[in-house]
Amino acid sequence: MNESKLECPSMPYEDSRILLVVCYSIVFALGFPANCFTTWLTFVQIRRKNVLAIYIFGLSLCELMYLSTLPLWTTYVQNKHKWEMGSVVCKLTGYIFFCNIYISILLLCCISIDRYVAVVYALESKGVRHQRTAIFITFILFSAVLVTHCPVFILPDGEQTSNRTTCFETLPLNLQLAYFNLARFLVGFAIPCIILIFTNYKIFQSTETSSSLGKRQKAKVKYLAMAIITIFLICFAPYHLVLLIRSINFLLHQNGSCAFELRIYSTSAAFLCLSTANSIADPIIYVLASEHVRKDFYESMTKWRYQSSINASLKLKNSKESQEVAQTLENQNLP
């Protein structure tokens, strides 16, 4: 594929530096422990044969993989978008970033489809939904996304040379990246978005007409479905719309796209922050919204507090005994 020979002038990196650094730092500080705890809670649910927990467990692992790279991105941004950790680390970090976005999106679709089948076809799905099926689907999904993004390792965007110091920030685009971004928008966002909206709408519609659910249960299902769609659109729609607009603009104005890239860069950086915030939103929605997981959470917190109180009592007791022994020895040494 032909690559763009044109290099854009200095980009307004400083305009978004504080925003990106603060965003990455907050997401890492909140998201990493939240997803660690989510992983543990969903593992408990997997042992109890919960099918939905398989997808949530995979989602948490995916988020942890991405969150582990945020300190590198933070250092990169703080260093005025100069990557100083080598081409291999750049390509691996970029690979994890791209894979995380689309594994997360597809797993969210799997979660919504599983909820759709369980709610809309409650009787028919009783003998159909199995953990083995969920594990197989998750494995295929991970494998497909990982293989699909292997070209990241041969793209020039990750090469560190004397003329290139950025990491996966090709400005302007080239034909290869423009077509790749169009495919990402269609297959990685538009189709999953349609599936997500359809399944959650059907879930809401089914619960509204159900006579076995009370008003409180119906409201819970309604707000959860709305939250899923809203957070999906807030986190992923702006980022993919910018990809689409940048790609179309490049294809229409290949020799004059730098002016547009300069105007849209700060907006693109803000939308990138929104996609990163998904790492915090997922545990809140899909774990704490579950009655069983909340119960496990409260039980674990109760046990933790109980154990902490026991440890504190033992430390206090040992401290008092040590003081008594010291006092006794001191008295024995007195003339």
PDB file of all heavy atoms in Angstrom, residues 241-275:
ATOM      1  N   LEU A 241     -16.147   7.540  15.707  1.00  0.00           N
ATOM      2  CA  LEU A 241     -16.602   8.580  14.773  1.00  0.00           C
ATOM      3  C   LEU A 241     -15.431   9.420  14.283  1.00  0.00           C
ATOM      4  O   LEU A 241     -15.372   9.796  13.104  1.00  0.00           O
ATOM      5  CB  LEU A 241     -17.655   9.468  15.447  1.00  0.00           C
ATOM      6  CG  LEU A 241     -19.048   8.853  15.604  1.00  0.00           C
ATOM      7  CD1 LEU A 241     -19.962   9.774  16.402  1.00  0.00           C
ATOM      8  CD2 LEU A 241     -19.670   8.549  14.249  1.00  0.00           C
ATOM      9  N   VAL A 242     -14.489   9.717  15.175  1.00  0.00           N
ATOM     10  CA  VAL A 242     -13.295  10.456  14.768  1.00  0.00           C
ATOM     11  C   VAL A 242     -12.468   9.632  13.791  1.00  0.00           C
ATOM     12  O   VAL A 242     -11.955  10.158  12.792  1.00  0.00           O
ATOM     13  CB  VAL A 242     -12.449  10.845  15.998  1.00  0.00           C
ATOM     14  CG1 VAL A 242     -11.062  11.327  15.575  1.00  0.00           C
ATOM     15  CG2 VAL A 242     -13.138  11.947  16.784  1.00  0.00           C
ATOM     16  N   LEU A 243     -12.341   8.322  14.042  1.00  0.00           N
ATOM     17  CA  LEU A 243     -11.638   7.448  13.100  1.00  0.00           C
ATOM     18  C   LEU A 243     -12.284   7.506  11.722  1.00  0.00           C
ATOM     19  O   LEU A 243     -11.596   7.597  10.693  1.00  0.00           O
ATOM     20  CB  LEU A 243     -11.649   5.997  13.597  1.00  0.00           C
ATOM     21  CG  LEU A 243     -10.743   5.608  14.760  1.00  0.00           C
ATOM     22  CD1 LEU A 243     -10.867   4.118  15.028  1.00  0.00           C
ATOM     23  CD2 LEU A 243      -9.296   5.966  14.476  1.00  0.00           C
ATOM     24  N   LEU A 244     -13.615   7.442  11.705  1.00  0.00           N
ATOM     25  CA  LEU A 244     -14.354   7.471  10.445  1.00  0.00           C
ATOM     26  C   LEU A 244     -14.150   8.802   9.722  1.00  0.00           C
ATOM     27  O   LEU A 244     -13.850   8.828   8.512  1.00  0.00           O
ATOM     28  CB  LEU A 244     -15.843   7.241  10.718  1.00  0.00           C
ATOM     29  CG  LEU A 244     -16.774   7.298   9.504  1.00  0.00           C
ATOM     30  CD1 LEU A 244     -16.464   6.159   8.545  1.00  0.00           C
ATOM     31  CD2 LEU A 244     -18.235   7.245   9.959  1.00  0.00           C
ATOM     32  N   ILE A 245     -14.297   9.909  10.441  1.00  0.00           N
ATOM     33  CA  ILE A 245     -14.177  11.241   9.836  1.00  0.00           C
ATOM     34  C   ILE A 245     -12.760  11.473   9.313  1.00  0.00           C
ATOM     35  O   ILE A 245     -12.569  11.981   8.200  1.00  0.00           O
ATOM     36  CB  ILE A 245     -14.566  12.327  10.863  1.00  0.00           C
ATOM     37  CG1 ILE A 245     -16.062  12.226  11.195  1.00  0.00           C
ATOM     38  CG2 ILE A 245     -14.235  13.721  10.339  1.00  0.00           C
ATOM     39  CD1 ILE A 245     -16.494  13.081  12.367  1.00  0.00           C
ATOM     40  N   ARG A 246     -11.755  11.094  10.100  1.00  0.00           N
ATOM     41  CA  ARG A 246     -10.365  11.268   9.668  1.00  0.00           C
ATOM     42  C   ARG A 246     -10.072  10.455   8.409  1.00  0.00           C
ATOM     43  O   ARG A 246      -9.375  10.923   7.501  1.00  0.00           O
ATOM     44  CB  ARG A 246      -9.408  10.850  10.784  1.00  0.00           C
ATOM     45  CG  ARG A 246      -9.347  11.816  11.958  1.00  0.00           C
ATOM     46  CD  ARG A 246      -8.364  11.308  12.992  1.00  0.00           C
ATOM     47  NE  ARG A 246      -7.015  11.220  12.437  1.00  0.00           N
ATOM     48  CZ  ARG A 246      -6.088  10.359  12.890  1.00  0.00           C
ATOM     49  NH1 ARG A 246      -6.370   9.536  13.883  1.00  0.00           N
ATOM     50  NH2 ARG A 246      -4.894  10.351  12.331  1.00  0.00           N
ATOM     51  N   SER A 247     -10.596   9.229   8.360  1.00  0.00           N
ATOM     52  CA  SER A 247     -10.330   8.358   7.216  1.00  0.00           C
ATOM     53  C   SER A 247     -11.002   8.882   5.955  1.00  0.00           C
ATOM     54  O   SER A 247     -10.393   8.910   4.876  1.00  0.00           O
ATOM     55  CB  SER A 247     -10.812   6.938   7.525  1.00  0.00           C
ATOM     56  OG  SER A 247     -10.140   6.411   8.650  1.00  0.00           O
ATOM     57  N   ILE A 248     -12.257   9.308   6.080  1.00  0.00           N
ATOM     58  CA  ILE A 248     -12.977   9.843   4.916  1.00  0.00           C
ATOM     59  C   ILE A 248     -12.313  11.121   4.429  1.00  0.00           C
ATOM     60  O   ILE A 248     -12.135  11.327   3.217  1.00  0.00           O
ATOM     61  CB  ILE A 248     -14.459  10.093   5.268  1.00  0.00           C
ATOM     62  CG1 ILE A 248     -15.173   8.761   5.526  1.00  0.00           C
ATOM     63  CG2 ILE A 248     -15.157  10.866   4.152  1.00  0.00           C
ATOM     64  CD1 ILE A 248     -16.607   8.915   5.987  1.00  0.00           C
ATOM     65  N   ASN A 249     -11.930  11.989   5.370  1.00  0.00           N
ATOM     66  CA  ASN A 249     -11.259  13.235   4.982  1.00  0.00           C
ATOM     67  C   ASN A 249      -9.951  12.959   4.245  1.00  0.00           C
ATOM     68  O   ASN A 249      -9.630  13.627   3.248  1.00  0.00           O
ATOM     69  CB  ASN A 249     -10.991  14.078   6.230  1.00  0.00           C
ATOM     70  CG  ASN A 249     -10.268  15.371   5.903  1.00  0.00           C
ATOM     71  OD1 ASN A 249     -10.860  16.339   5.427  1.00  0.00           O
ATOM     72  ND2 ASN A 249      -8.964  15.400   6.168  1.00  0.00           N
ATOM     73  N   PHE A 250      -9.191  11.976   4.721  1.00  0.00           N
ATOM     74  CA  PHE A 250      -7.926  11.656   4.055  1.00  0.00           C
ATOM     75  C   PHE A 250      -8.157  11.118   2.648  1.00  0.00           C
ATOM     76  O   PHE A 250      -7.443  11.490   1.704  1.00  0.00           O
ATOM     77  CB  PHE A 250      -7.134  10.634   4.874  1.00  0.00           C
ATOM     78  CG  PHE A 250      -5.881  10.170   4.188  1.00  0.00           C
ATOM     79  CD1 PHE A 250      -4.740  10.958   4.193  1.00  0.00           C
ATOM     80  CD2 PHE A 250      -5.857   8.959   3.504  1.00  0.00           C
ATOM     81  CE1 PHE A 250      -3.584  10.543   3.536  1.00  0.00           C
ATOM     82  CE2 PHE A 250      -4.713   8.542   2.845  1.00  0.00           C
ATOM     83  CZ  PHE A 250      -3.569   9.332   2.862  1.00  0.00           C
ATOM     84  N   LEU A 251      -9.158  10.235   2.501  1.00  0.00           N
ATOM     85  CA  LEU A 251      -9.427   9.661   1.192  1.00  0.00           C
ATOM     86  C   LEU A 251      -9.896  10.718   0.197  1.00  0.00           C
ATOM     87  O   LEU A 251      -9.644  10.606  -1.006  1.00  0.00           O
ATOM     88  CB  LEU A 251     -10.473   8.548   1.313  1.00  0.00           C
ATOM     89  CG  LEU A 251     -10.023   7.295   2.087  1.00  0.00           C
ATOM     90  CD1 LEU A 251     -11.191   6.336   2.271  1.00  0.00           C
ATOM     91  CD2 LEU A 251      -8.870   6.597   1.381  1.00  0.00           C
ATOM     92  N   LEU A 252     -10.575  11.751   0.690  1.00  0.00           N
ATOM     93  CA  LEU A 252     -11.056  12.818  -0.197  1.00  0.00           C
ATOM     94  C   LEU A 252     -10.004  13.897  -0.435  1.00  0.00           C
ATOM     95  O   LEU A 252     -10.009  14.551  -1.483  1.00  0.00           O
ATOM     96  CB  LEU A 252     -12.320  13.457   0.404  1.00  0.00           C
ATOM     97  CG  LEU A 252     -13.558  12.555   0.504  1.00  0.00           C
ATOM     98  CD1 LEU A 252     -14.698  13.301   1.189  1.00  0.00           C
ATOM     99  CD2 LEU A 252     -13.998  12.064  -0.871  1.00  0.00           C
ATOM    100  N   HIS A 253      -9.118  14.114   0.563  1.00  0.00           N
ATOM    101  CA  HIS A 253      -8.116  15.187   0.449  1.00  0.00           C
ATOM    102  C   HIS A 253      -6.750  14.650   0.875  1.00  0.00           C
ATOM    103  O   HIS A 253      -6.187  15.090   1.883  1.00  0.00           O
ATOM    104  CB  HIS A 253      -8.507  16.383   1.333  1.00  0.00           C
ATOM    105  CG  HIS A 253      -9.917  16.830   1.145  1.00  0.00           C
ATOM    106  ND1 HIS A 253     -10.331  17.566   0.055  1.00  0.00           N
ATOM    107  CD2 HIS A 253     -11.020  16.646   1.922  1.00  0.00           C
ATOM    108  CE1 HIS A 253     -11.628  17.820   0.162  1.00  0.00           C
ATOM    109  NE2 HIS A 253     -12.071  17.283   1.280  1.00  0.00           N
ATOM    110  N   GLN A 254      -6.202  13.744   0.111  1.00  0.00           N
ATOM    111  CA  GLN A 254      -4.957  13.089   0.495  1.00  0.00           C
ATOM    112  C   GLN A 254      -3.773  14.055   0.573  1.00  0.00           C
ATOM    113  O   GLN A 254      -2.852  13.843   1.366  1.00  0.00           O
ATOM    114  CB  GLN A 254      -4.638  11.955  -0.482  1.00  0.00           C
ATOM    115  CG  GLN A 254      -5.637  10.802  -0.408  1.00  0.00           C
ATOM    116  CD  GLN A 254      -5.194   9.614  -1.240  1.00  0.00           C
ATOM    117  OE1 GLN A 254      -4.012   9.395  -1.444  1.00  0.00           O
ATOM    118  NE2 GLN A 254      -6.151   8.838  -1.727  1.00  0.00           N
ATOM    119  N   ASN A 255      -3.782  15.089  -0.223  1.00  0.00           N
ATOM    120  CA  ASN A 255      -2.647  16.004  -0.254  1.00  0.00           C
ATOM    121  C   ASN A 255      -2.826  17.234   0.638  1.00  0.00           C
ATOM    122  O   ASN A 255      -1.946  18.085   0.690  1.00  0.00           O
ATOM    123  CB  ASN A 255      -2.377  16.459  -1.699  1.00  0.00           C
ATOM    124  CG  ASN A 255      -1.949  15.307  -2.585  1.00  0.00           C
ATOM    125  OD1 ASN A 255      -1.226  14.427  -2.141  1.00  0.00           O
ATOM    126  ND2 ASN A 255      -2.414  15.309  -3.832  1.00  0.00           N
ATOM    127  N   GLY A 256      -3.959  17.314   1.309  1.00  0.00           N
ATOM    128  CA  GLY A 256      -4.188  18.498   2.140  1.00  0.00           C
ATOM    129  C   GLY A 256      -4.918  18.181   3.417  1.00  0.00           C
ATOM    130  O   GLY A 256      -5.807  18.932   3.843  1.00  0.00           O
ATOM    131  N   SER A 257      -4.561  17.064   4.062  1.00  0.00           N
ATOM    132  CA  SER A 257      -5.283  16.639   5.260  1.00  0.00           C
ATOM    133  C   SER A 257      -4.648  17.130   6.556  1.00  0.00           C
ATOM    134  O   SER A 257      -5.221  16.972   7.624  1.00  0.00           O
ATOM    135  CB  SER A 257      -5.373  15.105   5.307  1.00  0.00           C
ATOM    136  OG  SER A 257      -4.079  14.534   5.319  1.00  0.00           O
ATOM    137  N   CYS A 258      -3.460  17.740   6.466  1.00  0.00           N
ATOM    138  CA  CYS A 258      -2.776  18.168   7.693  1.00  0.00           C
ATOM    139  C   CYS A 258      -3.540  19.258   8.447  1.00  0.00           C
ATOM    140  O   CYS A 258      -3.596  19.252   9.679  1.00  0.00           O
ATOM    141  CB  CYS A 258      -1.369  18.662   7.361  1.00  0.00           C
ATOM    142  SG  CYS A 258      -0.158  17.335   7.232  1.00  0.00           S
ATOM    143  N   ALA A 259      -4.114  20.196   7.704  1.00  0.00           N
ATOM    144  CA  ALA A 259      -4.867  21.285   8.345  1.00  0.00           C
ATOM    145  C   ALA A 259      -6.031  20.720   9.147  1.00  0.00           C
ATOM    146  O   ALA A 259      -6.316  21.163  10.271  1.00  0.00           O
ATOM    147  CB  ALA A 259      -5.372  22.263   7.290  1.00  0.00           C
ATOM    148  N   PHE A 260      -6.687  19.710   8.583  1.00  0.00           N
ATOM    149  CA  PHE A 260      -7.800  19.076   9.287  1.00  0.00           C
ATOM    150  C   PHE A 260      -7.303  18.315  10.510  1.00  0.00           C
ATOM    151  O   PHE A 260      -7.934  18.355  11.576  1.00  0.00           O
ATOM    152  CB  PHE A 260      -8.537  18.129   8.337  1.00  0.00           C
ATOM    153  CG  PHE A 260      -9.671  17.394   8.981  1.00  0.00           C
ATOM    154  CD1 PHE A 260     -10.883  18.027   9.221  1.00  0.00           C
ATOM    155  CD2 PHE A 260      -9.527  16.064   9.374  1.00  0.00           C
ATOM    156  CE1 PHE A 260     -11.930  17.345   9.823  1.00  0.00           C
ATOM    157  CE2 PHE A 260     -10.570  15.384   9.981  1.00  0.00           C
ATOM    158  CZ  PHE A 260     -11.770  16.026  10.205  1.00  0.00           C
ATOM    159  N   GLU A 261      -6.176  17.616  10.382  1.00  0.00           N
ATOM    160  CA  GLU A 261      -5.612  16.861  11.506  1.00  0.00           C
ATOM    161  C   GLU A 261      -5.252  17.796  12.660  1.00  0.00           C
ATOM    162  O   GLU A 261      -5.444  17.458  13.827  1.00  0.00           O
ATOM    163  CB  GLU A 261      -4.370  16.088  11.053  1.00  0.00           C
ATOM    164  CG  GLU A 261      -4.642  14.961  10.065  1.00  0.00           C
ATOM    165  CD  GLU A 261      -5.311  13.761  10.706  1.00  0.00           C
ATOM    166  OE1 GLU A 261      -5.546  13.772  11.924  1.00  0.00           O
ATOM    167  OE2 GLU A 261      -5.612  12.801   9.974  1.00  0.00           O
ATOM    168  N   LEU A 262      -4.737  18.979  12.326  1.00  0.00           N
ATOM    169  CA  LEU A 262      -4.395  19.959  13.360  1.00  0.00           C
ATOM    170  C   LEU A 262      -5.631  20.425  14.116  1.00  0.00           C
ATOM    171  O   LEU A 262      -5.612  20.600  15.330  1.00  0.00           O
ATOM    172  CB  LEU A 262      -3.686  21.154  12.733  1.00  0.00           C
ATOM    173  CG  LEU A 262      -2.230  20.941  12.308  1.00  0.00           C
ATOM    174  CD1 LEU A 262      -1.759  22.107  11.435  1.00  0.00           C
ATOM    175  CD2 LEU A 262      -1.333  20.812  13.542  1.00  0.00           C
ATOM    176  N   ARG A 263      -6.728  20.624  13.374  1.00  0.00           N
ATOM    177  CA  ARG A 263      -7.968  21.119  14.005  1.00  0.00           C
ATOM    178  C   ARG A 263      -8.629  20.057  14.886  1.00  0.00           C
ATOM    179  O   ARG A 263      -9.229  20.383  15.912  1.00  0.00           O
ATOM    180  CB  ARG A 263      -8.949  21.581  12.927  1.00  0.00           C
ATOM    181  CG  ARG A 263      -8.539  22.840  12.196  1.00  0.00           C
ATOM    182  CD  ARG A 263      -9.729  23.456  11.478  1.00  0.00           C
ATOM    183  NE  ARG A 263     -10.339  22.518  10.545  1.00  0.00           N
ATOM    184  CZ  ARG A 263      -9.990  22.389   9.272  1.00  0.00           C
ATOM    185  NH1 ARG A 263      -9.006  23.136   8.777  1.00  0.00           N
ATOM    186  NH2 ARG A 263     -10.592  21.519   8.482  1.00  0.00           N
ATOM    187  N   ILE A 264      -8.517  18.803  14.489  1.00  0.00           N
ATOM    188  CA  ILE A 264      -9.276  17.759  15.174  1.00  0.00           C
ATOM    189  C   ILE A 264      -8.464  17.037  16.243  1.00  0.00           C
ATOM    190  O   ILE A 264      -9.004  16.232  16.997  1.00  0.00           O
ATOM    191  CB  ILE A 264      -9.819  16.735  14.139  1.00  0.00           C
ATOM    192  CG1 ILE A 264     -11.039  15.990  14.703  1.00  0.00           C
ATOM    193  CG2 ILE A 264      -8.729  15.735  13.722  1.00  0.00           C
ATOM    194  CD1 ILE A 264     -11.723  15.098  13.695  1.00  0.00           C
ATOM    195  N   TYR A 265      -7.175  17.342  16.351  1.00  0.00           N
ATOM    196  CA  TYR A 265      -6.316  16.553  17.244  1.00  0.00           C
ATOM    197  C   TYR A 265      -6.766  16.614  18.707  1.00  0.00           C
ATOM    198  O   TYR A 265      -6.875  15.591  19.377  1.00  0.00           O
ATOM    199  CB  TYR A 265      -4.857  17.002  17.148  1.00  0.00           C
ATOM    200  CG  TYR A 265      -3.973  16.160  18.041  1.00  0.00           C
ATOM    201  CD1 TYR A 265      -3.552  14.913  17.643  1.00  0.00           C
ATOM    202  CD2 TYR A 265      -3.603  16.617  19.315  1.00  0.00           C
ATOM    203  CE1 TYR A 265      -2.779  14.113  18.470  1.00  0.00           C
ATOM    204  CE2 TYR A 265      -2.834  15.830  20.155  1.00  0.00           C
ATOM    205  CZ  TYR A 265      -2.420  14.586  19.722  1.00  0.00           C
ATOM    206  OH  TYR A 265      -1.670  13.790  20.564  1.00  0.00           O
ATOM    207  N   SER A 266      -7.021  17.805  19.221  1.00  0.00           N
ATOM    208  CA  SER A 266      -7.407  17.943  20.635  1.00  0.00           C
ATOM    209  C   SER A 266      -8.723  17.229  20.918  1.00  0.00           C
ATOM    210  O   SER A 266      -8.895  16.601  21.979  1.00  0.00           O
ATOM    211  CB  SER A 266      -7.511  19.419  21.012  1.00  0.00           C
ATOM    212  OG  SER A 266      -6.251  20.061  20.903  1.00  0.00           O
ATOM    213  N   THR A 267      -9.659  17.315  19.979  1.00  0.00           N
ATOM    214  CA  THR A 267     -10.935  16.607  20.123  1.00  0.00           C
ATOM    215  C   THR A 267     -10.705  15.104  20.136  1.00  0.00           C
ATOM    216  O   THR A 267     -11.303  14.376  20.937  1.00  0.00           O
ATOM    217  CB  THR A 267     -11.888  16.975  18.965  1.00  0.00           C
ATOM    218  OG1 THR A 267     -12.080  18.386  18.956  1.00  0.00           O
ATOM    219  CG2 THR A 267     -13.222  16.270  19.118  1.00  0.00           C
ATOM    220  N   SER A 268      -9.839  14.642  19.258  1.00  0.00           N
ATOM    221  CA  SER A 268      -9.514  13.215  19.194  1.00  0.00           C
ATOM    222  C   SER A 268      -8.903  12.732  20.506  1.00  0.00           C
ATOM    223  O   SER A 268      -9.209  11.630  20.973  1.00  0.00           O
ATOM    224  CB  SER A 268      -8.546  12.958  18.033  1.00  0.00           C
ATOM    225  OG  SER A 268      -8.173  11.612  17.982  1.00  0.00           O
ATOM    226  N   ALA A 269      -8.043  13.550  21.107  1.00  0.00           N
ATOM    227  CA  ALA A 269      -7.420  13.181  22.384  1.00  0.00           C
ATOM    228  C   ALA A 269      -8.459  13.064  23.496  1.00  0.00           C
ATOM    229  O   ALA A 269      -8.396  12.157  24.336  1.00  0.00           O
ATOM    230  CB  ALA A 269      -6.369  14.222  22.759  1.00  0.00           C
ATOM    231  N   ALA A 270      -9.428  13.977  23.509  1.00  0.00           N
ATOM    232  CA  ALA A 270     -10.490  13.927  24.523  1.00  0.00           C
ATOM    233  C   ALA A 270     -11.337  12.670  24.360  1.00  0.00           C
ATOM    234  O   ALA A 270     -11.718  12.023  25.342  1.00  0.00           O
ATOM    235  CB  ALA A 270     -11.369  15.169  24.411  1.00  0.00           C
ATOM    236  N   PHE A 271     -11.624  12.296  23.121  1.00  0.00           N
ATOM    237  CA  PHE A 271     -12.420  11.098  22.858  1.00  0.00           C
ATOM    238  C   PHE A 271     -11.638   9.833  23.201  1.00  0.00           C
ATOM    239  O   PHE A 271     -12.236   8.809  23.576  1.00  0.00           O
ATOM    240  CB  PHE A 271     -12.871  11.063  21.395  1.00  0.00           C
ATOM    241  CG  PHE A 271     -13.904  12.115  21.062  1.00  0.00           C
ATOM    242  CD1 PHE A 271     -14.191  12.439  19.746  1.00  0.00           C
ATOM    243  CD2 PHE A 271     -14.588  12.778  22.065  1.00  0.00           C
ATOM    244  CE1 PHE A 271     -15.140  13.408  19.439  1.00  0.00           C
ATOM    245  CE2 PHE A 271     -15.534  13.751  21.784  1.00  0.00           C
ATOM    246  CZ  PHE A 271     -15.818  14.058  20.460  1.00  0.00           C
ATOM    247  N   LEU A 272     -10.320   9.892  23.073  1.00  0.00           N
ATOM    248  CA  LEU A 272      -9.488   8.760  23.480  1.00  0.00           C
ATOM    249  C   LEU A 272      -9.600   8.540  24.987  1.00  0.00           C
ATOM    250  O   LEU A 272      -9.617   7.400  25.457  1.00  0.00           O
ATOM    251  CB  LEU A 272      -8.032   9.025  23.092  1.00  0.00           C
ATOM    252  CG  LEU A 272      -7.023   7.934  23.437  1.00  0.00           C
ATOM    253  CD1 LEU A 272      -7.343   6.645  22.703  1.00  0.00           C
ATOM    254  CD2 LEU A 272      -5.610   8.394  23.089  1.00  0.00           C
ATOM    255  N   CYS A 273      -9.710   9.631  25.734  1.00  0.00           N
ATOM    256  CA  CYS A 273      -9.903   9.530  27.189  1.00  0.00           C
ATOM    257  C   CYS A 273     -11.206   8.813  27.521  1.00  0.00           C
ATOM    258  O   CYS A 273     -11.278   8.015  28.461  1.00  0.00           O
ATOM    259  CB  CYS A 273      -9.900  10.918  27.825  1.00  0.00           C
ATOM    260  SG  CYS A 273      -8.295  11.728  27.845  1.00  0.00           S
ATOM    261  N   LEU A 274     -12.254   9.094  26.744  1.00  0.00           N
ATOM    262  CA  LEU A 274     -13.542   8.447  26.978  1.00  0.00           C
ATOM    263  C   LEU A 274     -13.455   6.940  26.763  1.00  0.00           C
ATOM    264  O   LEU A 274     -14.037   6.163  27.519  1.00  0.00           O
ATOM    265  CB  LEU A 274     -14.608   9.046  26.047  1.00  0.00           C
ATOM    266  CG  LEU A 274     -15.029  10.489  26.336  1.00  0.00           C
ATOM    267  CD1 LEU A 274     -16.030  10.963  25.295  1.00  0.00           C
ATOM    268  CD2 LEU A 274     -15.629  10.609  27.733  1.00  0.00           C
ATOM    269  N   SER A 275     -12.735   6.528  25.727  1.00  0.00           N
ATOM    270  CA  SER A 275     -12.597   5.093  25.475  1.00  0.00           C
ATOM    271  C   SER A 275     -11.807   4.418  26.587  1.00  0.00           C
ATOM    272  O   SER A 275     -12.072   3.267  26.952  1.00  0.00           O
ATOM    273  CB  SER A 275     -11.907   4.849  24.126  1.00  0.00           C
ATOM    274  OG  SER A 275     -10.560   5.269  24.148  1.00  0.00           O
TER     275      SER A 275
END
